[in-house]
């Protein structure tokens, strides 16, 4: 019999949902530590999901800092320094497989060392983002044009503050719009591709998307709510059904815009993916001080969907 080509084990999970075929699907490929970057990118392109995650053993320096594992994250077109749903989904899967104990864990990634809280018995995972960063002097015009919207579609309660760039490890542009505008989006692919060159960033990472936000205000339980849609900006993803990093950044923008309290801790429930037929729920906790977000975390549930093995791409992909 012909020799079988080398392969790696993978699992696919849906993140930020409590049922399969909702939330954001994630492929987690195990045992890929020795693959070159090009091979990892080829695997992500083969899965063709918004992100594919590769958990690896931490380096000696990362282990000395307390990291339990290192995570590399790829869209079909590029590597990201950090992303929320791969971080939550990978930690959940490692705990389910017994490779990570319930409780506090530390993930090393391109955005630094990020803490997570892993529940026992397959419960939700909470991810704390990196240092919050926010820029409020963003012109909304190119954001509106990229979404096919008009100035009248901006949130009327935020005159002059409806556009921002914020992040806790990667930057996204945020545009606060009237509730009915989410269903009326007509994304312009070319304008979205050009957007990273027209919008100032808070850090050094490329712009990782444009988040359209319809703010819902507080509910009866004292938590705030928001409906969002996340459009890609040159990272190989047209629209994302659940984006943990964007939910983290939204917590930063919401405090800066005065939508969330500038002191103390508040809770925000973010609904995403409805228009894509993949409803998602992201639970955000924001600690603020002095009118600025000091720490933001996001929690979500994870469910398994499939598992199997995938062939290792030829080493030529790593060149």
């Amino acid at each position: 019999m012909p020799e079988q080509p080398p392969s790696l084990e993978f699992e696919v999970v849906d993140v930020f949902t409590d049922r399969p075929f909702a939330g954001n699907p994630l492929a987690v490929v195990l045992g890929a530590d020795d693959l070159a970057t090009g091979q990892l990118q080829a695997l992500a392109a083969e899965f063709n999901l918004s992100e594919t995650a590769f958990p690896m053993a931490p380096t000696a320096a990362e282990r000395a800092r307390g990291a339990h594992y290192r995570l590399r994250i790829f869209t079909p077109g590029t590597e990201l320094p950090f992303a929320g749903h791969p971080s939550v989904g990978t930690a959940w899967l490692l705990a389910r497989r017994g490779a990570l104990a319930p409780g506090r864990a530390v993930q090393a990634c391109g955005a630094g060392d990020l803490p997570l809280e892993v529940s026992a018995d397959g419960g939700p995972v909470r991810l704390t983002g990196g240092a919050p960063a926010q820029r409020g002097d963003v012109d909304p015009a190119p954001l509106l044009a990229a979404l096919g919207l008009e100035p009248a579609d901006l949130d009327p309660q935020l005159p002059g503050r409806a556009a921002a760039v914020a992040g806790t490890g990667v930057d996204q542009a945020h545009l606060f719009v009237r509730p009915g505008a989410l269903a009326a989006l007509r994304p312009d692919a070319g304008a979205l591709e050009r957007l990273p060159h027209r919008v100032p960033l808070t850090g050094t990472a490329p712009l990782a998307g444009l988040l359209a936000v319809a703010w819902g205000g507080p509910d009866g339980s004292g938590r705030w709510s928001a409906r969002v849609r996340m459009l890609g900006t040159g990272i190989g993803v047209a629209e994302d059904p659940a984006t943990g990093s964007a939910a983290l950044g939204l917590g930063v923008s919401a405090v800066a815009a005065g939508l969330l309290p500038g002191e103390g801790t508040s809770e925000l429930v973010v609904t995403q993916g409805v228009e894509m037929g993949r409803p998602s729920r992201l639970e955000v906790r924001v600690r603020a001080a002095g009118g600025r977000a000091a720490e933001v975390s996001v929690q979500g549930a994870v469910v398994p969907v499939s598992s199997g093995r995938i062939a290792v791409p030829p080493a030529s992909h790593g060149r």
Side-chain angles (χ1 to χ4, degrees):
M1 295 181 61
E3 183 177 350
Q4 293 296 312
S7 63
L8 296 171
E9 186 179 3
F10 74 85
E11 293 202 35
V12 174
V13 296
D14 285 339
V15 185
F16 294 119
T17 179
D18 60 0
R19 64 184 189 275
F21 308 109
N24 202 346
L26 170 72
V28 183
V29 181
L30 304 164
D33 300 53
D34 296 331
L35 269 61
T37 296
Q39 292 172 292
L40 301 177
Q41 186 66 74
L43 287 169
E46 185 71 17
F47 281 109
N48 200 32
L49 299 174
S50 60
E51 278 110 1
T52 297
F54 301 91
M56 302 178 178
T59 66
E62 290 165 346
R63 186 178 292 108
R65 297 196 304 265
H68 293 82
Y69 61 96
R70 178 161 54 98
L71 190 66
R72 296 185 69 179
I73 302 165
F74 289 77
T75 74
T78 191
E79 183 173 7
L80 299 177
F82 161 67
H85 101 275
S87 301
V88 169
T90 299
W92 181 90
L93 180 61
L94 293 177
R96 178 172 176 261
R97 296 172 66 93
L100 197 63
R104 187 178 188 274
V106 177
Q107 168 190 291
C109 61
D113 299 337
L114 301 179
L116 301 104
E117 287 292 332
V118 181
S119 301
D121 302 321
V125 172
R126 179 170 293 277
L127 165 70
T128 299
Q134 193 271 342
R135 183 186 296 274
D137 54 352
V138 175
D139 180 5
L143 308 184
L144 287 166
L147 295 177
L149 298 178
E150 303 293 335
D153 291 312
L154 293 175
D155 188 330
Q157 66 179 321
L158 293 173
R161 296 182 300 167
V165 169
T168 62
V170 294
D171 285 339
Q172 286 105 4
H174 298 159
L175 188 69
F176 291 88
V177 300
R178 61 178 180 83
L182 287 184
L185 298 189
R186 300 181 304 278
D188 182 325
L192 286 165
E193 290 284 337
R194 295 189 296 271
L195 205 56
H197 306 290
R198 304 189 61 186
V199 176
L201 302 180
T202 63
T204 58
L207 191 70
L210 168 54
L211 189 73
V213 183
W215 191 256
D219 62 19
S221 66
R223 293 186 297 186
W224 277 257
S225 64
R227 277 276 300 272
V228 306
R229 290 181 68 178
M230 178 69 172
L231 288 305
T233 53
I235 59 172
V237 180
E239 183 168 357
D240 206 23
T243 316
S245 61
L248 292 167
L250 176 57
V252 179
S253 286
V255 172
L259 296 170
L260 288 179
E263 298 288 343
T265 300
S266 53
E267 305 277 346
L268 168 65
V269 176
V270 176
T271 302
Q272 188 179 341
V274 174
E275 293 77 9
M276 302 177 68
R278 299 191 67 95
S280 307
R281 178 184 174 93
L282 303 90
E283 299 178 1
V284 181
R285 180 178 298 156
V286 184
R287 180 172 60 82
R292 299 180 67 87
E295 182 181 272
V296 189
S297 64
V298 62
Q299 176 176 281
V302 184
V303 292
V305 176
S306 67
S307 62
R309 301 193 69 86
I310 188 168
V312 175
S316 58
H317 281 283
R319 295 176 184 170

